Amino acid sequence: MVVGIREESSDSGSRDLMTQLVMMGCSFGGSRSRNTSPMARAIGSRNISPSRQKTVKTKPRGLDEEMIAKFPKTPHPDVRMEDDIWAMLPEDLLNEILARVPPFMIFRLRSVCKRWNSILQDNGFLKFHSQVPSHGPCLLTFCKNSQSQTPNCSVFSLPLKQWYRIPFTFLPQWAFWIVGSSGGLVCFSGLDGLTFRTLVCNPLTQKWRILPKMHNNQQRQLSMVVYRKQRSFKIIAANDLYGDKSLPTEVFDSNLGRWSLHQKMPAVNFCSSKMAFCDSRLYLETLSPLGLMMYQVDSGYWEHIPAKFPRSLLDGYLVAGTQKRLFLVGRVGLYSTLQSMRIWELDHSKPMWVEVTRMPPRFFRALLRLSAERFECFGQDNLILFTSWNQGKGLLYDVDKKQWSWIAGCGLRLHNSQVCFYEPRFDASIY
Amino acid sequence: MSKKMLTFMSKDKQQFTIEEEFAVQSVTIRNMVEEDCASSVIPLPNVHSETLTLVIEYLNKQASVAENDLKKFVDEKQISTLLDLAKAASYLDIKGLMDLACEKLADLIKDMTVEELREIFQIENDFTPEEEQALRAEFPWAFEV
C-alpha cells in the first residue's frame, strides 16, 4: 500500500481547489520536513515481525545498562515501514496524538528526539494537552513518618494501573499533611517550628509555592478548592484542631494573594475532621451535637443544615460529588454482626439524608476484617474510595454506574500513608 | 424519494458512493456541498482506496452505532492504518474519526519504549549521549516502568 503524493496527470481538464493544494505538496495542516537521515529513507519498507520477541540491547554509547529496548508483552502487528507514510506526518497530527498520551508518559517521550522534546515542552501544546479529556482518576499517596524523614510519594493511575514515583524533593521538612488535591494542585500543611504553614504545588510541573501565614497561627482543618476556569484557588481554614476556642474562618484567595478573615463558626463543642466542598460551599460535620454546618465561601457566612443524621452512625465521612451532590458515608449498627456500610445523599430541598446504597456484605467483610478496623473514605466526581489501613486494599464505588470494584494492580501501600484523589494537569497554576 | 448520493474518487482511481447525509459529517465535504462543488465526482487524491473504505465505513456507522461500539472500530488496526485514518480524518475534517484514531495511536505509543518509538516513526536520535543521559536523569521515575 502506497500512500503519498505523486504528481500524475489528471484525466479531467479542470483542477479543483483541493487537488491544487495537494499538488503544492502540502498535506492539510502544514508541512514540516521530518527528522530523518538519508540512511533511514534508503531502507525503505522494513518488515518487523512479531517473532522478534527478544530484548535488544542498545549499542553501548556510554549509557547505563538500564537502557535496554524491550518489546512489549503483546506483540506488535506487522508494521511495514513505508517511507512515505511517515514522511507526511504533519505537525498538528503529531500534536493531536501526543496530546492524548497520559500526562506521566509525556516525560519519557521527551527523550525521543529534539523535535519531540521541544513540542512536549511548548506551552501551547501543554495547554492543548490539558484540554483533552482526562485519562481517569489518580491517587496520590504521601507517607512521612517524622519531620526528618524524606517523604515517600507515589501516584497511582487507576485506568493505567500503574504507579509513578514522582519526586517531591521540593517539599520543605515541615510539610507533613496533605490538605487535599483539586484541579491538578496539591496542598500541604505542617508546622514550621511553631508556625502553621501551607504550601501549594503542581506535582507534574514541579512548581510550588509557600503561602503567606494566616492571621491566627493555629493548626487548622483546611480545605482547598480550585476554580479551573478562573485559574484561581481558595483555601479555607475552618475549625482549629484542638478547638477549645473558636477562631474566625480564614480564606486564602489566590487572586488576592492573602488570607482574609470571616465569620467564626457558630459555637459547637467538637468538630470532626470530616469536611467536603461542593458548589462553593464547605460542609463540615459537627460531633457534639452531631450535625451539619455549611460555610458559604462567597458570602463568608456559616449556616446550620438541619438534616438529621442516621441513627447509630459510627463514622460519618462527607464526600462531595459532582455539581451539588453531597454524600455521607459510614457504618451503621452497634453490633458487629449487624453492621453495614451505607451511603446517603443529601436532599438539599428538605434537607434530609437519603440512603443511596449499602456496601454488599462480601465487600464489607473483605475490606474490614474486623469491625473495628480503621478505614478511610474520600471521593471525587461521584467516585467514592474506601481504603483499609491494615490491609492496604482499595474499594471503589461509582455512584453513577452503581458499581463496586476493587482497585486493581495497586497493592495500596497504605500503612501510615495519606491518600487522596489527584488529577494530573499541566495547566494547574500555583498563582 | 431517493437519497442524495455523493461519489468520491480515491487516489488510486476507485470510486465510492455514500449518502450525502452521512458524508457531511466531514466538514470539508459539507463546505463543498454548500458551495455546490459536490455534484460530480469528488477527487480525494490524498486518500488511498483502502483508507477511504474505512472512512466511509465509519461515516456510515457513526449515525447508528453506540459510542462504545464505535470505539471498537479502531481495534486490531495496524499503526500504519491508524495513521492513514488520522490523516484522512484531518484532511476531511471529521472530528469523531480523528479523535478515535489519535486516541488509539496515543494508547499504543504510551506503551512503547523510546527506542521503539524511534524505530516506528523513523526518527533519528539527535541527542548526544550526554544530553540524553541528562534528560533521563531529570525524570528517572518516568523510565522506571
Side-chain angles (χ1 to χ4, degrees), chain B residues 65-145:
Chain B
V65 165
E67 197 183 311
N68 278 337
D69 292 328
L70 206 55
K71 283 204 177 130
K72 294 186 192 152
F73 182 70
V74 285
D75 283 346
E76 317 278 330
K77 297 270 191 296
Q78 299 177 20
I79 293 188
S80 51
T81 315
L82 289 168
L83 273 167
D84 288 338
L85 263 181
K87 276 192 281 181
S90 168
Y91 178 57
L92 291 167
D93 203 345
I94 308 172
K95 183 160 183 352
L97 184 58
M98 176 83 150
D99 283 344
L100 264 186
C102 290
E103 261 168 42
K104 188 69 188 173
L105 282 162
D107 201 39
L108 293 171
I109 281 186
K110 74 176 201 298
D111 291 326
M112 294 188 201
T113 64
V114 172
E115 285 77 11
E116 284 166 337
L117 283 166
R118 288 183 188 139
E119 254 193 78
I120 297 253
F121 285 87
Q122 294 213 355
I123 294 175
E124 169 91 350
N125 179 11
D126 50 355
F127 286 120
T128 66
E130 295 76 31
E131 286 171 335
E132 185 166 351
Q133 176 80 315
L135 206 54
R136 289 193 183 222
E138 226 180 303
F139 325 102
W141 55 268
F143 298 91
E144 271 169 18
V145 187

Coordinates of all heavy atoms in Angstrom, one line a residue, chain B residues 65-145:
Chain B
V65 N -24.5 3.6 15.4 CA -23.9 2.8 16.4 C -23.6 3.5 17.6 O -23.2 4.7 17.6 CB -22.6 2.2 15.7 CG1 -21.7 1.6 16.8 CG2 -23.0 1.1 14.7
A66 N -23.7 2.9 18.8 CA -23.3 3.5 20.1 C -21.9 3.8 20.2 O -21.0 3.2 19.5 CB -23.7 2.6 21.2
E67 N -21.5 4.8 21.0 CA -20.2 5.2 21.1 C -19.2 4.1 21.5 O -18.1 4.0 21.0 CB -20.1 6.3 22.2 CG -18.8 7.2 22.0 CD -18.7 8.2 23.1 OE1 -19.7 8.9 23.3 OE2 -17.7 8.3 23.8
N68 N -19.6 3.3 22.4 CA -18.7 2.2 22.8 C -18.4 1.2 21.7 O -17.3 0.8 21.6 CB -19.3 1.4 24.0 CG -19.1 2.1 25.3 OD1 -18.2 2.9 25.4 ND2 -20.0 1.8 26.3
D69 N -19.4 0.9 20.9 CA -19.2 0.0 19.8 C -18.3 0.7 18.7 O -17.5 0.1 18.0 CB -20.5 -0.4 19.2 CG -21.3 -1.3 20.1 OD1 -20.6 -2.0 20.9 OD2 -22.5 -1.3 20.1
L70 N -18.5 2.0 18.6 CA -17.7 2.8 17.6 C -16.3 2.7 17.9 O -15.4 2.7 17.1 CB -18.3 4.2 17.6 CG -18.1 5.0 16.3 CD1 -18.7 4.2 15.1 CD2 -18.7 6.3 16.4
K71 N -16.0 2.7 19.2 CA -14.5 2.6 19.6 C -13.9 1.4 19.1 O -12.7 1.3 18.8 CB -14.4 2.6 21.2 CG -14.7 4.0 21.7 CD -14.0 4.2 23.1 CE -14.2 5.6 23.6 NZ -14.8 5.7 24.9
K72 N -14.7 0.3 19.0 CA -14.1 -1.0 18.5 C -13.6 -0.8 17.1 O -12.9 -1.7 16.6 CB -15.1 -2.1 18.6 CG -15.5 -2.4 20.0 CD -16.4 -3.6 20.1 CE -17.0 -3.7 21.5 NZ -18.3 -4.3 21.5
F73 N -14.1 0.2 16.4 CA -13.7 0.4 15.0 C -12.2 0.5 14.8 O -11.7 0.1 13.8 CB -14.4 1.6 14.5 CG -14.2 1.9 13.1 CD1 -14.8 1.2 12.1 CD2 -13.4 3.0 12.7 CE1 -14.5 1.5 10.7 CE2 -13.2 3.3 11.4 CZ -13.8 2.6 10.4
V74 N -11.6 1.0 15.8 CA -10.1 1.2 15.7 C -9.3 0.1 16.3 O -8.1 0.1 16.3 CB -9.6 2.6 16.3 CG1 -10.0 3.7 15.4 CG2 -10.2 2.8 17.7
D75 N -10.0 -0.9 16.9 CA -9.3 -2.0 17.5 C -8.7 -2.8 16.4 O -9.2 -2.9 15.3 CB -10.2 -2.9 18.3 CG -10.5 -2.2 19.7 OD1 -9.8 -1.3 20.0 OD2 -11.5 -2.7 20.3
E76 N -7.6 -3.5 16.7 CA -7.0 -4.5 15.8 C -6.5 -3.9 14.5 O -6.4 -4.5 13.5 CB -8.0 -5.6 15.4 CG -8.8 -6.2 16.5 CD -8.1 -7.2 17.3 OE1 -7.2 -7.9 16.7 OE2 -8.3 -7.4 18.5
K77 N -6.3 -2.6 14.5 CA -5.8 -2.0 13.3 C -4.3 -1.7 13.5 O -3.8 -1.4 14.5 CB -6.5 -0.6 13.1 CG -8.0 -0.7 12.8 CD -8.3 -0.9 11.4 CE -9.8 -0.8 11.0 NZ -10.7 -1.8 11.6
Q78 N -3.6 -1.8 12.4 CA -2.2 -1.6 12.4 C -1.9 -0.1 12.6 O -2.7 0.7 12.2 CB -1.6 -2.1 11.1 CG -1.7 -3.6 10.9 CD -1.1 -3.9 9.5 OE1 -0.3 -3.2 9.0 NE2 -1.6 -5.1 9.0
I79 N -0.7 0.2 13.0 CA -0.4 1.6 13.2 C -0.4 2.3 11.9 O -0.9 3.5 11.9 CB 1.1 1.7 13.9 CG1 1.0 1.1 15.3 CG2 1.5 3.1 13.9 CD1 2.3 1.3 16.1
S80 N 0.1 1.7 10.9 CA 0.1 2.4 9.6 C -1.4 2.8 9.1 O -1.6 3.9 8.7 CB 0.8 1.6 8.5 OG 0.2 0.3 8.5
T81 N -2.3 1.8 9.4 CA -3.7 2.1 9.0 C -4.2 3.2 9.9 O -4.9 4.1 9.4 CB -4.5 0.8 9.3 OG1 -3.9 -0.3 8.8 CG2 -5.9 0.9 8.7
L82 N -3.9 3.2 11.2 CA -4.4 4.2 12.0 C -3.9 5.6 11.6 O -4.6 6.6 11.7 CB -4.0 3.9 13.5 CG -4.7 2.8 14.1 CD1 -4.1 2.4 15.4 CD2 -6.2 3.1 14.4
L83 N -2.6 5.6 11.3 CA -2.1 6.9 10.8 C -2.7 7.4 9.6 O -3.0 8.6 9.4 CB -0.6 6.8 10.6 CG 0.2 7.0 11.9 CD1 1.7 6.5 11.7 CD2 0.2 8.4 12.3
D84 N -3.0 6.5 8.6 CA -3.7 6.9 7.4 C -5.1 7.4 7.7 O -5.5 8.4 7.2 CB -3.8 5.7 6.5 CG -2.5 5.3 5.9 OD1 -1.6 6.2 5.8 OD2 -2.4 4.1 5.4
L85 N -5.7 6.7 8.6 CA -7.1 7.1 9.0 C -7.0 8.5 9.6 O -7.9 9.4 9.3 CB -7.7 6.1 10.0 CG -8.6 5.1 9.5 CD1 -9.1 4.2 10.7 CD2 -9.8 5.7 8.8
A86 N -6.0 8.7 10.5 CA -6.0 10.0 11.2 C -5.7 11.1 10.2 O -6.3 12.2 10.2 CB -4.9 10.0 12.2
K87 N -4.8 10.8 9.2 CA -4.5 11.8 8.2 C -5.7 12.1 7.3 O -6.0 13.3 7.0 CB -3.3 11.4 7.3 CG -2.0 11.7 8.0 CD -0.9 11.5 7.0 CE -0.5 10.0 6.9 NZ 0.6 9.8 6.0
A88 N -6.4 11.0 7.0 CA -7.6 11.2 6.1 C -8.7 12.0 6.9 O -9.3 12.9 6.4 CB -8.2 9.9 5.7
A89 N -8.8 11.7 8.2 CA -9.8 12.4 9.0 C -9.4 13.9 9.2 O -10.3 14.7 9.2 CB -9.9 11.7 10.4
S90 N -8.1 14.1 9.2 CA -7.7 15.5 9.3 C -8.0 16.3 8.0 O -8.5 17.4 8.0 CB -6.2 15.5 9.7 OG -5.7 16.8 9.5
Y91 N -7.6 15.6 6.9 CA -7.8 16.2 5.6 C -9.3 16.5 5.3 O -9.7 17.5 4.8 CB -7.3 15.2 4.6 CG -7.4 15.5 3.2 CD1 -6.9 16.7 2.6 CD2 -8.0 14.6 2.3 CE1 -7.0 16.9 1.3 CE2 -8.1 14.8 0.9 CZ -7.6 16.0 0.4 OH -7.7 16.2 -0.9
L92 N -10.2 15.5 5.7 CA -11.6 15.7 5.5 C -12.3 16.3 6.7 O -13.5 16.6 6.6 CB -12.2 14.3 5.3 CG -11.8 13.6 4.0 CD1 -12.3 12.1 4.0 CD2 -12.5 14.3 2.8
D93 N -11.5 16.6 7.7 CA -12.1 17.3 8.9 C -13.3 16.6 9.5 O -14.4 17.1 9.5 CB -12.5 18.8 8.5 CG -12.6 19.7 9.7 OD1 -12.6 19.2 10.8 OD2 -12.7 20.9 9.5
I94 N -13.0 15.3 9.9 CA -14.1 14.5 10.6 C -13.6 14.4 12.0 O -12.7 13.5 12.3 CB -14.2 13.1 9.9 CG1 -14.4 13.3 8.4 CG2 -15.3 12.4 10.6 CD1 -14.4 11.9 7.7
K95 N -14.1 15.2 12.9 CA -13.6 15.2 14.2 C -13.7 13.9 15.0 O -12.7 13.4 15.6 CB -14.3 16.3 15.0 CG -13.7 16.4 16.4 CD -14.0 17.7 17.1 CE -13.4 17.9 18.5 NZ -12.7 16.8 19.1
G96 N -14.8 13.2 14.9 CA -15.0 12.0 15.6 C -14.0 10.9 15.2 O -13.4 10.3 16.1
L97 N -13.7 10.8 13.9 CA -12.8 9.8 13.5 C -11.4 10.2 13.9 O -10.5 9.3 14.2 CB -12.9 9.7 11.9 CG -12.0 8.6 11.3 CD1 -12.3 7.2 11.9 CD2 -12.2 8.6 9.8
M98 N -11.1 11.5 13.8 CA -9.7 12.0 14.2 C -9.5 11.6 15.7 O -8.4 11.1 16.0 CB -9.8 13.5 14.0 CG -8.6 14.2 14.4 SD -7.3 14.1 13.2 CE -6.5 15.6 13.6
D99 N -10.5 11.9 16.5 CA -10.4 11.6 17.9 C -10.1 10.1 18.2 O -9.2 9.7 18.9 CB -11.7 12.0 18.7 CG -11.8 13.4 18.9 OD1 -10.8 14.1 18.8 OD2 -12.9 13.9 19.2
L100 N -10.9 9.3 17.5 CA -10.8 7.8 17.7 C -9.4 7.3 17.3 O -8.7 6.6 18.0 CB -11.8 7.1 16.8 CG -13.1 6.7 17.4 CD1 -13.9 5.9 16.4 CD2 -12.9 5.9 18.6
A101 N -9.0 7.8 16.1 CA -7.7 7.3 15.6 C -6.5 7.8 16.5 O -5.6 7.0 16.8 CB -7.5 7.7 14.1
C102 N -6.6 9.1 16.8 CA -5.5 9.6 17.6 C -5.4 9.0 19.0 O -4.4 8.8 19.6 CB -5.6 11.1 17.7 SG -5.3 12.0 16.2
E103 N -6.6 8.8 19.6 CA -6.7 8.1 20.9 C -6.0 6.8 20.9 O -5.2 6.4 21.8 CB -8.1 8.0 21.4 CG -8.6 9.0 22.3 CD -10.1 9.0 22.5 OE1 -10.6 7.9 22.7 OE2 -10.7 10.1 22.5
K104 N -6.3 6.0 19.8 CA -5.8 4.7 19.7 C -4.3 4.7 19.5 O -3.5 3.9 20.1 CB -6.5 3.9 18.6 CG -6.1 2.5 18.5 CD -6.7 1.7 19.6 CE -6.2 0.3 19.7 NZ -6.7 -0.4 20.8
L105 N -3.9 5.7 18.7 CA -2.4 5.8 18.5 C -1.7 6.2 19.8 O -0.6 5.7 20.1 CB -2.2 6.9 17.4 CG -2.4 6.4 16.0 CD1 -2.6 7.5 15.0 CD2 -1.3 5.5 15.5
A106 N -2.3 7.1 20.5 CA -1.7 7.6 21.8 C -1.6 6.4 22.7 O -0.6 6.2 23.4 CB -2.5 8.7 22.4
D107 N -2.7 5.6 22.7 CA -2.7 4.4 23.5 C -1.6 3.4 23.2 O -1.0 2.8 24.1 CB -4.1 3.7 23.3 CG -4.4 2.8 24.5 OD1 -4.2 3.2 25.6 OD2 -5.0 1.7 24.2
L108 N -1.3 3.3 21.9 CA -0.2 2.4 21.5 C 1.1 3.0 21.8 O 2.0 2.3 22.3 CB -0.3 2.1 20.0 CG -1.6 1.3 19.6 CD1 -1.7 1.3 18.1 CD2 -1.5 -0.1 20.1
I109 N 1.2 4.3 21.6 CA 2.5 4.9 21.8 C 2.9 4.9 23.3 O 4.1 4.7 23.6 CB 2.4 6.4 21.4 CG1 2.5 6.6 19.9 CG2 3.5 7.3 22.1 CD1 2.5 8.0 19.5
K110 N 2.0 5.0 24.2 CA 2.4 5.1 25.6 C 3.1 3.9 26.1 O 3.8 4.0 27.1 CB 1.1 5.5 26.5 CG 0.2 4.3 26.7 CD -0.9 4.7 27.6 CE -1.5 3.5 28.3 NZ -2.2 2.6 27.3
D111 N 2.8 2.8 25.5 CA 3.5 1.5 26.0 C 4.8 1.3 25.3 O 5.5 0.3 25.7 CB 2.5 0.3 25.7 CG 1.3 0.4 26.6 OD1 1.4 0.9 27.7 OD2 0.2 0.0 26.1
M112 N 5.2 2.1 24.4 CA 6.4 1.9 23.7 C 7.6 2.5 24.4 O 7.5 3.5 25.0 CB 6.3 2.4 22.3 CG 5.3 1.7 21.4 SD 5.5 2.4 19.7 CE 4.0 2.0 19.1
T113 N 8.7 1.9 24.3 CA 9.9 2.5 24.8 C 10.4 3.5 23.8 O 10.0 3.6 22.7 CB 11.1 1.5 25.0 OG1 11.4 1.0 23.7 CG2 10.7 0.3 25.9
V114 N 11.4 4.3 24.3 CA 11.9 5.4 23.4 C 12.5 4.8 22.2 O 12.3 5.3 21.1 CB 12.9 6.2 24.2 CG1 13.7 7.1 23.4 CG2 12.2 6.9 25.4
E115 N 13.2 3.7 22.3 CA 13.9 3.1 21.2 C 12.9 2.6 20.1 O 13.0 2.8 18.9 CB 14.7 1.9 21.6 CG 16.0 2.3 22.3 CD 15.8 2.8 23.7 OE1 14.7 2.6 24.3 OE2 16.8 3.3 24.3
E116 N 11.8 2.0 20.6 CA 10.7 1.5 19.7 C 10.1 2.6 19.0 O 9.8 2.6 17.8 CB 9.6 0.8 20.5 CG 10.0 -0.6 20.9 CD 9.1 -1.2 22.0 OE1 8.4 -0.4 22.7 OE2 9.0 -2.4 22.1
L117 N 9.8 3.7 19.7 CA 9.2 4.9 19.1 C 10.1 5.4 17.9 O 9.6 5.8 16.9 CB 9.0 6.0 20.1 CG 7.8 5.8 21.0 CD1 7.8 6.7 22.2 CD2 6.5 6.0 20.2
R118 N 11.4 5.5 18.2 CA 12.3 6.0 17.2 C 12.3 5.1 15.9 O 12.3 5.5 14.8 CB 13.7 6.0 17.7 CG 13.9 7.1 18.7 CD 15.4 7.2 19.1 NE 15.6 8.1 20.2 CZ 16.4 7.9 21.2 NH1 17.0 6.7 21.3 NH2 16.5 8.8 22.2
E119 N 12.2 3.8 16.2 CA 12.1 2.8 15.1 C 10.8 3.0 14.3 O 10.8 3.1 13.1 CB 12.1 1.4 15.6 CG 13.4 0.7 15.4 CD 13.2 -0.8 15.7 OE1 12.7 -1.5 14.8 OE2 13.6 -1.2 16.8
I120 N 9.7 3.0 15.0 CA 8.4 3.1 14.3 C 8.2 4.4 13.6 O 7.7 4.4 12.4 CB 7.3 3.0 15.4 CG1 7.3 1.7 16.1 CG2 5.9 3.3 14.8 CD1 6.2 0.7 15.7
F121 N 8.7 5.5 14.1 CA 8.5 6.8 13.5 C 9.7 7.2 12.6 O 9.8 8.3 12.1 CB 8.2 7.9 14.5 CG 6.8 7.8 15.0 CD1 6.5 7.1 16.1 CD2 5.8 8.6 14.4 CE1 5.2 7.0 16.6 CE2 4.5 8.5 14.9 CZ 4.2 7.7 16.0
Q122 N 10.7 6.2 12.6 CA 11.9 6.5 11.8 C 12.5 7.8 12.2 O 12.7 8.7 11.3 CB 11.6 6.4 10.3 CG 11.2 5.0 9.9 CD 11.7 4.7 8.5 OE1 12.3 5.5 7.8 NE2 11.5 3.4 8.2
I123 N 12.7 8.0 13.5 CA 13.3 9.3 14.0 C 14.7 9.0 14.3 O 15.1 8.1 15.0 CB 12.5 9.7 15.2 CG1 11.1 10.1 14.8 CG2 13.2 11.0 15.8 CD1 10.2 10.5 16.0
E124 N 15.5 9.9 13.9 CA 16.9 9.9 14.2 C 17.1 10.4 15.6 O 16.6 11.5 15.9 CB 17.7 10.7 13.2 CG 19.2 10.9 13.5 CD 20.0 9.9 12.9 OE1 19.5 8.8 12.4 OE2 21.3 10.0 13.0
N125 N 17.9 9.8 16.4 CA 18.1 10.3 17.7 C 19.2 11.4 17.6 O 20.4 11.1 17.4 CB 18.6 9.2 18.7 CG 18.9 9.7 20.1 OD1 18.6 10.9 20.4 ND2 19.6 8.9 20.9
D126 N 18.8 12.7 17.7 CA 19.7 13.7 17.5 C 20.3 14.3 18.9 O 20.9 15.4 18.9 CB 19.1 14.9 16.7 CG 17.8 15.3 17.2 OD1 17.3 14.7 18.2 OD2 17.2 16.3 16.7
F127 N 20.1 13.5 19.9 CA 20.7 13.9 21.2 C 22.1 13.3 21.3 O 22.3 12.2 20.8 CB 19.9 13.4 22.4 CG 18.6 14.1 22.6 CD1 17.4 13.4 22.6 CD2 18.6 15.4 23.0 CE1 16.2 14.0 22.8 CE2 17.4 16.1 23.2 CZ 16.2 15.4 23.2
T128 N 23.0 14.1 21.9 CA 24.3 13.4 22.2 C 24.0 12.5 23.4 O 23.1 12.7 24.1 CB 25.3 14.5 22.6 OG1 24.9 15.1 23.8 CG2 25.5 15.6 21.5
P129 N 24.9 11.5 23.6 CA 24.7 10.7 24.8 C 24.6 11.4 26.1 O 23.8 11.1 26.9 CB 26.0 9.8 24.7 CG 26.4 9.8 23.3 CD 26.0 11.1 22.8
E130 N 25.4 12.5 26.2 CA 25.3 13.3 27.4 C 24.0 14.0 27.6 O 23.4 14.0 28.7 CB 26.4 14.4 27.4 CG 27.9 13.9 27.4 CD 28.3 13.3 26.1 OE1 27.8 13.9 25.1 OE2 29.1 12.4 26.0
E131 N 23.5 14.5 26.5 CA 22.2 15.2 26.5 C 21.1 14.2 26.9 O 20.2 14.5 27.7 CB 21.8 15.8 25.2 CG 22.7 17.1 24.9 CD 22.4 17.5 23.4 OE1 22.1 16.7 22.6 OE2 22.7 18.7 23.2
E132 N 21.1 13.0 26.3 CA 20.1 12.1 26.5 C 20.2 11.6 28.0 O 19.1 11.5 28.7 CB 20.2 10.9 25.6 CG 19.1 9.9 25.8 CD 19.0 8.9 24.6 OE1 19.7 9.0 23.6 OE2 18.2 7.9 24.8
Q133 N 21.4 11.4 28.5 CA 21.6 11.0 29.8 C 21.0 12.0 30.8 O 20.3 11.7 31.8 CB 23.1 10.8 30.1 CG 23.4 10.4 31.5 CD 23.2 9.0 31.8 OE1 22.2 8.4 31.4 NE2 24.2 8.4 32.5
A134 N 21.3 13.3 30.5 CA 20.8 14.4 31.4 C 19.3 14.4 31.4 O 18.7 14.6 32.4 CB 21.4 15.7 30.9
L135 N 18.7 14.2 30.2 CA 17.2 14.3 30.1 C 16.6 13.1 30.9 O 15.7 13.3 31.7 CB 16.8 14.2 28.7 CG 15.5 14.8 28.3 CD1 15.4 16.2 28.7 CD2 15.3 14.7 26.8
R136 N 17.2 11.9 30.8 CA 16.7 10.8 31.5 C 16.9 11.0 33.0 O 16.1 10.5 33.8 CB 17.3 9.5 31.1 CG 16.9 9.1 29.7 CD 17.3 7.7 29.4 NE 16.9 7.4 28.0 CZ 16.4 6.2 27.6 NH1 16.1 5.3 28.5 NH2 16.1 6.0 26.4
A137 N 17.9 11.6 33.4 CA 18.2 11.9 34.8 C 17.2 12.8 35.4 O 17.0 12.8 36.6 CB 19.7 12.3 35.0
E138 N 16.7 13.7 34.5 CA 15.8 14.7 35.0 C 14.4 14.0 35.5 O 13.8 14.5 36.4 CB 15.4 15.7 33.9 CG 15.5 17.1 34.3 CD 15.1 18.0 33.2 OE1 15.8 18.0 32.1 OE2 14.2 18.8 33.3
F139 N 14.1 13.0 34.8 CA 12.8 12.3 35.2 C 13.1 10.8 35.3 O 12.5 10.0 34.6 CB 11.7 12.5 34.2 CG 11.7 13.9 33.6 CD1 12.2 14.0 32.3 CD2 11.2 15.0 34.3 CE1 12.1 15.3 31.7 CE2 11.2 16.2 33.7 CZ 11.7 16.4 32.4
P140 N 13.9 10.4 36.3 CA 14.2 9.0 36.3 C 12.9 8.1 36.6 O 12.8 7.0 36.1 CB 15.1 8.8 37.5 CG 15.0 10.1 38.3 CD 14.5 11.1 37.4
W141 N 12.0 8.7 37.3 CA 10.8 7.9 37.6 C 10.0 7.6 36.3 O 9.2 6.6 36.3 CB 9.9 8.7 38.6 CG 9.5 10.1 38.1 CD1 10.2 11.2 38.4 CD2 8.5 10.4 37.3 NE1 9.6 12.3 37.7 CE2 8.5 11.8 37.1 CE3 7.4 9.7 36.7 CZ2 7.6 12.5 36.3 CZ3 6.5 10.5 35.9 CH2 6.6 11.8 35.8
A142 N 10.1 8.4 35.3 CA 9.3 8.1 34.1 C 9.9 6.9 33.3 O 9.2 6.3 32.5 CB 9.4 9.3 33.2
F143 N 11.1 6.5 33.6 CA 11.7 5.4 32.9 C 11.7 4.1 33.8 O 12.2 3.1 33.3 CB 13.1 5.8 32.5 CG 13.2 6.9 31.5 CD1 13.3 8.2 32.0 CD2 13.0 6.7 30.2 CE1 13.3 9.3 31.1 CE2 13.0 7.7 29.3 CZ 13.2 9.0 29.7
E144 N 11.2 4.3 35.0 CA 11.2 3.1 35.9 C 10.3 2.0 35.4 O 10.5 0.9 35.6 CB 10.8 3.5 37.3 CG 11.9 4.0 38.2 CD 11.4 4.6 39.4 OE1 10.3 4.4 39.8 OE2 12.2 5.3 40.1
V145 N 9.2 2.4 34.7 CA 8.2 1.4 34.4 C 8.7 0.6 33.2 O 9.2 1.1 32.2 CB 6.9 2.2 33.9 CG1 5.8 1.2 33.7 CG2 6.5 3.1 35.0

